[in-house]
Amino acid sequence: MSAYSTLNVRRLAAVTGLTLVSVVGLATAASAHVTVNPKEAVQGSYAKVSFRVPNERDDAGTTKLQVDLPMDHPLASVSVRPVPGWSVKVEKSKLTTPIKAHGAEITQAVSRITWSGGTIEPGQFQEFDVSMGQLPDDTDRLVFKATQTYSGGEVVKWDQEPKDGQEEPEHPAPVLKLTKAAAATGAGASGAPTVTTVSATGAKAGSADDGTARLLGGLGLAAGVVGIAVGGFGIARGRSKA
């Protein structure tokens, strides 16, 4: 290869490398926002979710996270897991329409959770765990609007609700998708539950068939070994006679 060709190859490699770095950088910046994990939970259940907060700045740390819980679908039970180095404040709001839970009428529900006092350094992330329930069964999502505060005073609001079939907004709010609970049993053509059972006699028959198959397989293997031995013996005799 000529010196000119070698130079061109090096230039092409350098340009390709810079392009890949730029693409990776854009992808990281686009995906680095406050999210709720896991992203799905079952309607009517209780769930433990984590609000994952990455630090998007190179010159400042994240010092506070505020999460607003949806009051149009209030949660009767909310508890937080302590995070070392962080303090937490839980606020409640009065409900316009009380809800019933555990046989009692609930007139207030947690509306906001704020973590502060700690620092998420550049290049790091932190998860804040919350146990919540009973999840509603009349909606397919819960939207948690979040506010991220940096040590330099910058405030970033993650409060734009993503819409199905549309591009993700610039500052999407964390969304927990709610799915319907799976049926405990299947249903046949008539709509009646179908149940699959295995009888004791069937299990025994299966065991017997399996044992028979193993026995036949063993006999076949033994016959093969004997055949090989006989063949080898015949070849040896033929060579000795020759």
Side-chain angles (χ1 to χ4, degrees):
M1 183 180 293
S2 66
Y4 179 76
S5 299
T6 302
L7 181 60
N8 282 342
V9 170
R10 289 179 178 176
R11 287 179 177 175
L12 178 61
V15 172
T16 303
L18 290 174
T19 302
L20 289 175
V21 170
S22 300
V23 171
V24 171
L26 289 173
T28 302
S31 61
H33 48 253
V34 178
T35 57
V36 59
N37 300 277
K39 298 184 182 300
E40 293 185 5
V42 178
Q43 293 177 340
S45 69
Y46 287 79
K48 191 272 287 183
V49 301
S50 299
F51 291 97
R52 184 174 299 164
V53 185
N55 188 5
E56 295 184 299
R57 302 294 179 263
D58 295 329
D59 57 353
T62 295
T63 56
K64 185 169 73 173
L65 173 69
Q66 174 184 298
V67 176
D68 291 334
L69 279 65
M71 296 306 291
D72 54 344
H73 293 94
L75 300 167
S77 176
V78 176
S79 58
V80 298
R81 173 179 288 179
V83 181
W86 294 78
S87 60
V88 59
K89 179 182 179 181
V90 178
E91 302 177 49
K92 292 185 176 181
S93 296
K94 187 175 181 180
L95 299 177
T96 304
T97 303
I99 59 175
K100 291 185 177 181
H102 308 293
E105 187 175 78
I106 307 297
T107 59
Q108 294 186 89
V110 174
S111 57
R112 175 174 293 176
I113 306 175
T114 304
W115 291 269
S116 60
T119 302
I120 306 174
E121 299 292 349
Q124 299 180 358
F125 73 93
Q126 179 65 57
E127 291 187 334
F128 302 91
D129 295 341
V130 179
S131 175
M132 58 180 63
Q134 188 173 0
L135 299 178
D137 56 9
D138 58 349
T139 182
D140 62 356
R141 62 170 56 186
L142 290 178
V143 179
F144 302 92
K145 296 183 178 181
T147 302
Q148 183 177 10
T149 302
Y150 288 92
S151 56
E154 180 186 6
V155 176
V156 180
K157 291 185 176 295
W158 304 97
D159 57 358
Q160 297 174 327
E161 183 176 351
K163 301 294 184 181
D164 293 336
Q166 298 182 12
E167 292 186 1
E168 184 178 73
E170 184 178 358
H171 293 92
V175 175
L176 179 65
K177 182 180 178 181
L178 301 180
T179 59
K180 294 186 179 297
T185 58
S190 62
T194 58
V195 181
T196 302
T197 60
V198 179
S199 65
T201 55
K204 290 181 179 179
S207 299
D209 290 342
D210 184 60
T212 301
R214 290 182 180 179
L215 176 59
L216 292 176
L219 291 175
L221 179 61
V225 172
V226 172
I228 293 173
V230 171
F233 179 71
I235 293 173
R237 287 192 61 186
R239 288 181 177 178
S240 61
K241 288 180 179 180

